Amino acid sequence: MWRWRSSRIYYLAGRLSQIKVSDVKVKHGRCCYSQVSPPPSNFEQTKCDPRHTEFTAPSNYIGENVSRKDKNKYLYSTLLELNDSKEAIYGALDAWVAWEKNFPIASLKTVLIALQKEQQWHRVIQVIKWMLSKGQGMTMGTYGQLIQALDMDHRVEEAQKFWEMKIGTDLHSVPWQLCHLMISVYYRNNMLEDLVKLFKGLEAFGRKPRDKSIIQKVANAYEMLGLVEEKERVLEKYGHLFTKEEPSEKQTKKRVHLTSEKGQEKQSTKSLI
């Protein structure tokens, strides 16, 4: 066996010695060379070796090529054209922010305002819930937008649950604007007992309303519930809000005029400096 292998090796060595190096053709990728070439160095790159090409990331993100205004318009039109599906809306929003370095909370606020103007309440709800799922927009202003949209979308029970879970547990520091919003939601949907309960909770923390429209809603709720004494108590306690004189139209115009004059004086002074 060993002799047979040795004879085969000698035979092959003899055949190879008869072949000239110039006759050898080396195939590499798609190219063919007439002679054996040395391998390319680390700093050289041939067209025949695409596997060794290195990917260079673009210096700028793709999203930077489009203005912020155009991005907002694109998202707004996309949200209006999509079908009423949570997966479709969330997918579009995910794709829209994919190339953003920072979460575009300001742009989303602009889009939400545009959707509110068109009374696209269901879309407003979907966008805000998507933001909250990302841990963004957790402010009282966003919560108020969501409660208003839920109410206008005839989902008052969901609005009440969100209030009780996120806001109603901290009545001693909730802004009166939000409290007034929830009182209005209860009043509009004839949820008078919930309205009275909320107002009593605010009174328990010593919160004093600043708007007579709140007191009027509460008084009307007491009357419709047959609690006349409570109605009289509220009107007497907060009667000063009804007797407080509101600025007339002339006084308002005069204040605006004086404010504009002061602003012009400041600008002239700065220009002189």
Side-chain angles (χ1 to χ4, degrees), residues 15-30:
R15 292 290 298 169
L16 289 173
S17 62
Q18 297 175 2
I19 300 175
K20 297 180 180 180
V21 176
S22 59
D23 294 334
V24 177
K25 294 183 179 181
V26 180
K27 293 183 179 181
H28 186 76
R30 297 181 180 177

Side-chain angles (χ1 to χ4, degrees), residues 86-105:
K86 176 181 176 181
E87 290 74 15
I89 299 299
Y90 280 30
L93 290 167
D94 288 336
W96 187 73
V97 300
W99 290 97
E100 297 289 341
K101 295 180 180 179
N102 301 315
F103 194 84
I105 190 69

